[in-house]
Amino acid sequence: MSRAPFQILVVPFRRVGGQVEFAVLRRQDMDAWQAVAGGGESGESPQQAAAREAREELGLDGTVALYPLQTTASIPARFFADRNSWPAGTYVVPEYAFAADLTGVEIKLSDEHTAVQWLDFKAASELLRFDSNRTALGELHERLLAADLPRPVE
């Protein structure tokens, strides 16, 4: 399948006792720490792509609750090999953010990542390389503190 002109981001979190931890993943190809990230495939919605990418990159056996976040970003199309198959005039692609509740779920990393760390908000924020990841993490952190997660996507 060809890549669709959008990107997704999934911020994994879990509740441990009274604390919340966030998973950050080290990318194999650029030695950077990030959340789950990937592109949509042709015909997929951002929600479908987020569910698929979370399953693939985290080695999930089943589905987990995905919560849409308000955070969006734009990524230059020039960073994507498939850009020539996209409509003319596509110079940036949107990135849609989600959160995934992995409380009680074991992660089995794909070959795209070399390590995972479960960290508190401050440590995770300091380790993440990309601004869009830090923005989505910050939104999720505030929502969790306020007990204000949106309804999970179906």
Side-chain angles (χ1 to χ4, degrees):
M1 276 192 163
S2 63
R3 183 182 175 120
F6 69 84
Q7 181 84 351
I8 61 86
L9 183 70
V10 179
V11 182
F13 72 96
R14 69 181 180 188
R15 293 176 173 92
V16 180
Q19 304 298 313
V20 174
E21 296 177 333
F22 304 92
V24 293
L25 313 167
R26 180 187 282 163
R27 284 183 61 110
Q28 181 273 332
D29 62 346
M30 67 171 65
D31 194 30
W33 290 93
Q34 66 175 45
V36 171
E41 294 178 353
S42 183
E44 275 186 322
S45 70
Q47 296 86 346
Q48 292 167 325
R52 178 185 48 76
E53 288 288 344
R55 279 191 313 275
E56 291 174 1
E57 293 190 20
L58 300 173
L60 304 178
D61 293 330
T63 59
V64 296
L66 280 178
Y67 302 91
L69 300 176
Q70 291 177 348
T71 300
T72 57
S74 296
I75 301 172
R78 70 178 177 274
F79 292 133
F80 301 98
D82 290 337
R83 78 176 286 192
N84 293 331
S85 68
W86 296 339
T90 303
Y91 298 104
V92 297
V93 298
E95 179 182 67
Y96 303 100
F98 299 85
D101 187 350
L102 297 186
T103 302
V105 176
E106 182 182 341
I107 290 177
K108 294 170 255 159
L109 289 180
S110 72
D111 292 340
E112 292 182 50
H113 300 96
T114 60
V116 61
Q117 291 188 57
W118 285 100
L119 302 168
D120 66 19
F121 168 71
K122 184 176 184 298
S125 185
E126 289 172 357
L127 197 55
L128 290 170
R129 177 171 183 180
F130 302 107
D131 289 341
S132 66
N133 285 227
R134 285 189 295 275
T135 302
L137 174 69
E139 177 190 347
L140 175 57
H141 177 65
E142 288 185 40
R143 285 180 171 280
L144 291 168
L145 288 174
D148 187 29
L149 279 179
R151 295 179 59 91
V153 294
E154 301 293 320

Tab-separated table of all heavy atoms in Angstrom, residues 60-98:
chain	number	residue	atom	x	y	z
A	60	LEU	N	1.650	-5.172	20.260
A	60	LEU	CA	0.433	-5.448	21.024
A	60	LEU	C	-0.320	-6.622	20.422
A	60	LEU	O	-0.462	-6.721	19.202
A	60	LEU	CB	-0.464	-4.211	21.057
A	60	LEU	CG	0.175	-2.933	21.592
A	60	LEU	CD1	-0.815	-1.782	21.513
A	60	LEU	CD2	0.679	-3.125	23.007
A	61	ASP	N	-0.806	-7.498	21.282
A	61	ASP	CA	-1.582	-8.655	20.824
A	61	ASP	C	-3.020	-8.281	20.469
A	61	ASP	O	-3.633	-8.906	19.618
A	61	ASP	CB	-1.596	-9.746	21.902
A	61	ASP	CG	-0.211	-10.347	22.099
A	61	ASP	OD1	0.574	-10.390	21.141
A	61	ASP	OD2	0.084	-10.756	23.235
A	62	GLY	N	-3.565	-7.299	21.150
A	62	GLY	CA	-4.945	-6.891	20.910
A	62	GLY	C	-5.033	-5.387	20.771
A	62	GLY	O	-4.040	-4.695	20.600
A	63	THR	N	-6.251	-4.892	20.862
A	63	THR	CA	-6.460	-3.459	20.774
A	63	THR	C	-6.391	-2.839	22.167
A	63	THR	O	-6.626	-3.501	23.170
A	63	THR	CB	-7.827	-3.140	20.138
A	63	THR	OG1	-8.841	-3.727	20.939
A	63	THR	CG2	-7.905	-3.667	18.722
A	64	VAL	N	-6.030	-1.588	22.208
A	64	VAL	CA	-6.022	-0.817	23.449
A	64	VAL	C	-6.833	0.446	23.208
A	64	VAL	O	-7.051	0.851	22.066
A	64	VAL	CB	-4.583	-0.447	23.897
A	64	VAL	CG1	-3.774	-1.691	24.220
A	64	VAL	CG2	-3.870	0.390	22.846
A	65	ALA	N	-7.264	1.073	24.285
A	65	ALA	CA	-8.028	2.314	24.158
A	65	ALA	C	-7.134	3.415	23.587
A	65	ALA	O	-6.033	3.649	24.082
A	65	ALA	CB	-8.585	2.730	25.514
A	66	LEU	N	-7.627	4.063	22.530
A	66	LEU	CA	-6.940	5.206	21.921
A	66	LEU	C	-7.788	6.452	22.126
A	66	LEU	O	-8.976	6.452	21.809
A	66	LEU	CB	-6.753	4.992	20.421
A	66	LEU	CG	-5.618	4.113	19.956
A	66	LEU	CD1	-5.643	4.001	18.438
A	66	LEU	CD2	-4.277	4.634	20.423
A	67	TYR	N	-7.165	7.500	22.643
A	67	TYR	CA	-7.859	8.748	22.932
A	67	TYR	C	-7.337	9.834	21.992
A	67	TYR	O	-6.138	10.103	21.956
A	67	TYR	CB	-7.606	9.170	24.381
A	67	TYR	CG	-8.039	8.119	25.375
A	67	TYR	CD1	-7.146	7.143	25.821
A	67	TYR	CD2	-9.338	8.090	25.859
A	67	TYR	CE1	-7.547	6.168	26.727
A	67	TYR	CE2	-9.743	7.120	26.769
A	67	TYR	CZ	-8.840	6.166	27.190
A	67	TYR	OH	-9.235	5.201	28.078
A	68	PRO	N	-8.222	10.467	21.227
A	68	PRO	CA	-7.766	11.546	20.341
A	68	PRO	C	-7.350	12.763	21.163
A	68	PRO	O	-8.019	13.136	22.121
A	68	PRO	CB	-8.996	11.843	19.484
A	68	PRO	CG	-10.161	11.422	20.337
A	68	PRO	CD	-9.674	10.273	21.167
A	69	LEU	N	-6.241	13.348	20.794
A	69	LEU	CA	-5.772	14.572	21.446
A	69	LEU	C	-6.007	15.753	20.506
A	69	LEU	O	-6.172	15.581	19.302
A	69	LEU	CB	-4.288	14.451	21.796
A	69	LEU	CG	-3.925	13.301	22.746
A	69	LEU	CD1	-2.404	13.223	22.926
A	69	LEU	CD2	-4.623	13.471	24.089
A	70	GLN	N	-5.999	16.949	21.062
A	70	GLN	CA	-6.168	18.153	20.242
A	70	GLN	C	-4.884	18.526	19.511
A	70	GLN	O	-4.921	19.248	18.524
A	70	GLN	CB	-6.585	19.336	21.129
A	70	GLN	CG	-7.973	19.221	21.683
A	70	GLN	CD	-8.315	20.366	22.615
A	70	GLN	OE1	-7.449	21.135	23.026
A	70	GLN	NE2	-9.573	20.469	22.966
A	71	THR	N	-3.755	18.036	19.985
A	71	THR	CA	-2.467	18.392	19.403
A	71	THR	C	-2.380	17.967	17.946
A	71	THR	O	-2.654	16.821	17.605
A	71	THR	CB	-1.320	17.725	20.188
A	71	THR	OG1	-1.369	18.164	21.550
A	71	THR	CG2	0.034	18.075	19.602
A	72	THR	N	-2.009	18.911	17.092
A	72	THR	CA	-1.692	18.624	15.699
A	72	THR	C	-0.394	19.342	15.368
A	72	THR	O	-0.002	20.295	16.039
A	72	THR	CB	-2.798	19.096	14.733
A	72	THR	OG1	-3.005	20.493	14.919
A	72	THR	CG2	-4.098	18.338	14.954
A	73	ALA	N	0.262	18.864	14.362
A	73	ALA	CA	1.499	19.488	13.893
A	73	ALA	C	1.528	19.375	12.379
A	73	ALA	O	0.690	18.676	11.785
A	73	ALA	CB	2.714	18.790	14.512
A	74	SER	N	2.474	20.042	11.773
A	74	SER	CA	2.700	19.934	10.334
A	74	SER	C	4.139	19.514	10.105
A	74	SER	O	5.054	20.024	10.751
A	74	SER	CB	2.453	21.283	9.647
A	74	SER	OG	1.102	21.658	9.793
A	75	ILE	N	4.317	18.572	9.191
A	75	ILE	CA	5.645	18.053	8.876
A	75	ILE	C	5.905	18.307	7.399
A	75	ILE	O	5.042	18.009	6.557
A	75	ILE	CB	5.734	16.550	9.192
A	75	ILE	CG1	5.424	16.311	10.670
A	75	ILE	CG2	7.117	15.997	8.837
A	75	ILE	CD1	5.296	14.861	11.047
A	76	PRO	N	7.069	18.851	7.049
A	76	PRO	CA	7.362	19.086	5.634
A	76	PRO	C	7.286	17.799	4.820
A	76	PRO	O	7.848	16.767	5.199
A	76	PRO	CB	8.795	19.645	5.649
A	76	PRO	CG	8.943	20.246	7.018
A	76	PRO	CD	8.148	19.340	7.926
A	77	ALA	N	6.595	17.846	3.695
A	77	ALA	CA	6.432	16.673	2.839
A	77	ALA	C	7.772	16.180	2.303
A	77	ALA	O	7.916	14.985	2.023
A	77	ALA	CB	5.482	17.000	1.683
A	78	ARG	N	8.759	17.050	2.214
A	78	ARG	CA	10.055	16.653	1.654
A	78	ARG	C	10.745	15.553	2.465
A	78	ARG	O	11.653	14.897	1.985
A	78	ARG	CB	10.969	17.864	1.505
A	78	ARG	CG	11.469	18.440	2.807
A	78	ARG	CD	12.423	19.628	2.579
A	78	ARG	NE	12.825	20.214	3.830
A	78	ARG	CZ	12.148	21.145	4.486
A	78	ARG	NH1	11.024	21.624	3.970
A	78	ARG	NH2	12.584	21.632	5.630
A	79	PHE	N	10.299	15.318	3.702
A	79	PHE	CA	10.899	14.273	4.534
A	79	PHE	C	10.371	12.874	4.212
A	79	PHE	O	10.837	11.894	4.786
A	79	PHE	CB	10.677	14.569	6.024
A	79	PHE	CG	11.418	15.771	6.519
A	79	PHE	CD1	10.773	16.713	7.293
A	79	PHE	CD2	12.750	15.976	6.210
A	79	PHE	CE1	11.441	17.825	7.756
A	79	PHE	CE2	13.433	17.094	6.664
A	79	PHE	CZ	12.775	18.020	7.435
A	80	PHE	N	9.417	12.763	3.303
A	80	PHE	CA	8.772	11.489	3.026
A	80	PHE	C	9.073	11.022	1.606
A	80	PHE	O	8.859	11.760	0.645
A	80	PHE	CB	7.260	11.594	3.228
A	80	PHE	CG	6.886	12.007	4.628
A	80	PHE	CD1	6.575	13.331	4.919
A	80	PHE	CD2	6.868	11.079	5.658
A	80	PHE	CE1	6.233	13.712	6.208
A	80	PHE	CE2	6.533	11.454	6.947
A	80	PHE	CZ	6.220	12.774	7.231
A	81	ALA	N	9.513	9.778	1.483
A	81	ALA	CA	9.850	9.215	0.169
A	81	ALA	C	8.637	9.143	-0.751
A	81	ALA	O	8.777	9.257	-1.964
A	81	ALA	CB	10.470	7.831	0.344
A	82	ASP	N	7.446	8.948	-0.180
A	82	ASP	CA	6.233	8.798	-0.990
A	82	ASP	C	5.628	10.113	-1.471
A	82	ASP	O	4.588	10.095	-2.125
A	82	ASP	CB	5.162	8.036	-0.200
A	82	ASP	CG	5.501	6.575	-0.008
A	82	ASP	OD1	6.295	6.049	-0.807
A	82	ASP	OD2	4.972	5.969	0.935
A	83	ARG	N	6.265	11.208	-1.200
A	83	ARG	CA	5.649	12.500	-1.526
A	83	ARG	C	5.331	12.656	-3.007
A	83	ARG	O	4.394	13.354	-3.380
A	83	ARG	CB	6.505	13.662	-1.041
A	83	ARG	CG	7.704	13.959	-1.943
A	83	ARG	CD	8.478	15.141	-1.519
A	83	ARG	NE	7.752	16.351	-1.847
A	83	ARG	CZ	8.273	17.553	-1.810
A	83	ARG	NH1	9.502	17.733	-1.443
A	83	ARG	NH2	7.555	18.601	-2.121
A	84	ASN	N	6.069	11.995	-3.876
A	84	ASN	CA	5.809	12.122	-5.316
A	84	ASN	C	4.500	11.466	-5.734
A	84	ASN	O	3.983	11.748	-6.812
A	84	ASN	CB	6.972	11.556	-6.122
A	84	ASN	CG	8.227	12.393	-5.955
A	84	ASN	OD1	8.150	13.595	-5.722
A	84	ASN	ND2	9.383	11.754	-6.040
A	85	SER	N	3.951	10.593	-4.896
A	85	SER	CA	2.669	9.958	-5.214
A	85	SER	C	1.483	10.749	-4.659
A	85	SER	O	0.339	10.388	-4.902
A	85	SER	CB	2.641	8.530	-4.656
A	85	SER	OG	2.612	8.548	-3.238
A	86	TRP	N	1.763	11.820	-3.930
A	86	TRP	CA	0.705	12.627	-3.324
A	86	TRP	C	0.240	13.704	-4.295
A	86	TRP	O	0.944	14.021	-5.256
A	86	TRP	CB	1.190	13.265	-2.029
A	86	TRP	CG	1.525	12.263	-0.955
A	86	TRP	CD1	1.095	10.975	-0.868
A	86	TRP	CD2	2.367	12.472	0.165
A	86	TRP	NE1	1.612	10.365	0.252
A	86	TRP	CE2	2.399	11.266	0.907
A	86	TRP	CE3	3.100	13.548	0.627
A	86	TRP	CZ2	3.138	11.122	2.077
A	86	TRP	CZ3	3.837	13.411	1.797
A	86	TRP	CH2	3.844	12.203	2.510
A	87	PRO	N	-0.919	14.302	-4.044
A	87	PRO	CA	-1.401	15.352	-4.947
A	87	PRO	C	-0.384	16.497	-5.083
A	87	PRO	O	0.317	16.846	-4.127
A	87	PRO	CB	-2.680	15.850	-4.254
A	87	PRO	CG	-3.122	14.696	-3.398
A	87	PRO	CD	-1.857	14.023	-2.952
A	88	ALA	N	-0.334	17.050	-6.271
A	88	ALA	CA	0.542	18.200	-6.512
A	88	ALA	C	0.207	19.302	-5.513
A	88	ALA	O	-0.962	19.494	-5.159
A	88	ALA	CB	0.364	18.699	-7.942
A	89	GLY	N	1.206	19.996	-5.049
A	89	GLY	CA	0.987	21.086	-4.096
A	89	GLY	C	0.965	20.623	-2.650
A	89	GLY	O	0.647	21.408	-1.762
A	90	THR	N	1.306	19.368	-2.371
A	90	THR	CA	1.384	18.892	-0.985
A	90	THR	C	2.772	19.223	-0.458
A	90	THR	O	3.747	18.545	-0.774
A	90	THR	CB	1.121	17.364	-0.893
A	90	THR	OG1	-0.142	17.078	-1.468
A	90	THR	CG2	1.156	16.889	0.550
A	91	TYR	N	2.858	20.280	0.332
A	91	TYR	CA	4.144	20.725	0.867
A	91	TYR	C	4.329	20.369	2.332
A	91	TYR	O	5.454	20.270	2.813
A	91	TYR	CB	4.301	22.237	0.680
A	91	TYR	CG	4.297	22.609	-0.782
A	91	TYR	CD1	3.175	23.177	-1.371
A	91	TYR	CD2	5.406	22.354	-1.581
A	91	TYR	CE1	3.155	23.500	-2.718
A	91	TYR	CE2	5.394	22.668	-2.930
A	91	TYR	CZ	4.268	23.249	-3.487
A	91	TYR	OH	4.254	23.551	-4.823
A	92	VAL	N	3.224	20.191	3.034
A	92	VAL	CA	3.275	19.749	4.428
A	92	VAL	C	2.178	18.710	4.634
A	92	VAL	O	1.178	18.700	3.911
A	92	VAL	CB	3.098	20.904	5.461
A	92	VAL	CG1	4.224	21.915	5.369
A	92	VAL	CG2	1.752	21.579	5.290
A	93	VAL	N	2.396	17.825	5.600
A	93	VAL	CA	1.369	16.845	5.948
A	93	VAL	C	1.007	17.042	7.413
A	93	VAL	O	1.861	17.373	8.238
A	93	VAL	CB	1.812	15.390	5.678
A	93	VAL	CG1	2.091	15.178	4.197
A	93	VAL	CG2	3.014	15.005	6.500
A	94	PRO	N	-0.258	16.843	7.757
A	94	PRO	CA	-0.667	16.988	9.149
A	94	PRO	C	-0.253	15.769	9.970
A	94	PRO	O	-0.181	14.651	9.448
A	94	PRO	CB	-2.194	17.098	9.066
A	94	PRO	CG	-2.542	16.345	7.821
A	94	PRO	CD	-1.394	16.565	6.863
A	95	GLU	N	0.029	16.016	11.233
A	95	GLU	CA	0.284	14.937	12.188
A	95	GLU	C	-0.811	14.995	13.241
A	95	GLU	O	-1.017	16.033	13.869
A	95	GLU	CB	1.649	15.114	12.858
A	95	GLU	CG	1.960	14.032	13.873
A	95	GLU	CD	3.284	14.259	14.561
A	95	GLU	OE1	3.400	15.245	15.326
A	95	GLU	OE2	4.208	13.456	14.325
A	96	TYR	N	-1.524	13.876	13.418
A	96	TYR	CA	-2.623	13.771	14.374
A	96	TYR	C	-2.139	12.979	15.585
A	96	TYR	O	-1.510	11.933	15.436
A	96	TYR	CB	-3.819	13.061	13.739
A	96	TYR	CG	-4.312	13.746	12.492
A	96	TYR	CD1	-3.967	13.279	11.229
A	96	TYR	CD2	-5.121	14.869	12.578
A	96	TYR	CE1	-4.418	13.911	10.084
A	96	TYR	CE2	-5.575	15.509	11.440
A	96	TYR	CZ	-5.220	15.028	10.197
A	96	TYR	OH	-5.666	15.665	9.052
A	97	ALA	N	-2.470	13.466	16.779
A	97	ALA	CA	-1.978	12.839	18.010
A	97	ALA	C	-3.074	12.088	18.749
A	97	ALA	O	-4.241	12.512	18.777
A	97	ALA	CB	-1.364	13.901	18.921
A	98	PHE	N	-2.671	11.002	19.375
A	98	PHE	CA	-3.543	10.141	20.171
A	98	PHE	C	-2.769	9.727	21.423
A	98	PHE	O	-1.543	9.796	21.458
A	98	PHE	CB	-3.934	8.879	19.386
A	98	PHE	CG	-4.691	9.162	18.130
A	98	PHE	CD1	-4.019	9.461	16.956
A	98	PHE	CD2	-6.074	9.137	18.116
A	98	PHE	CE1	-4.714	9.738	15.784
A	98	PHE	CE2	-6.774	9.407	16.954
A	98	PHE	CZ	-6.095	9.709	15.790
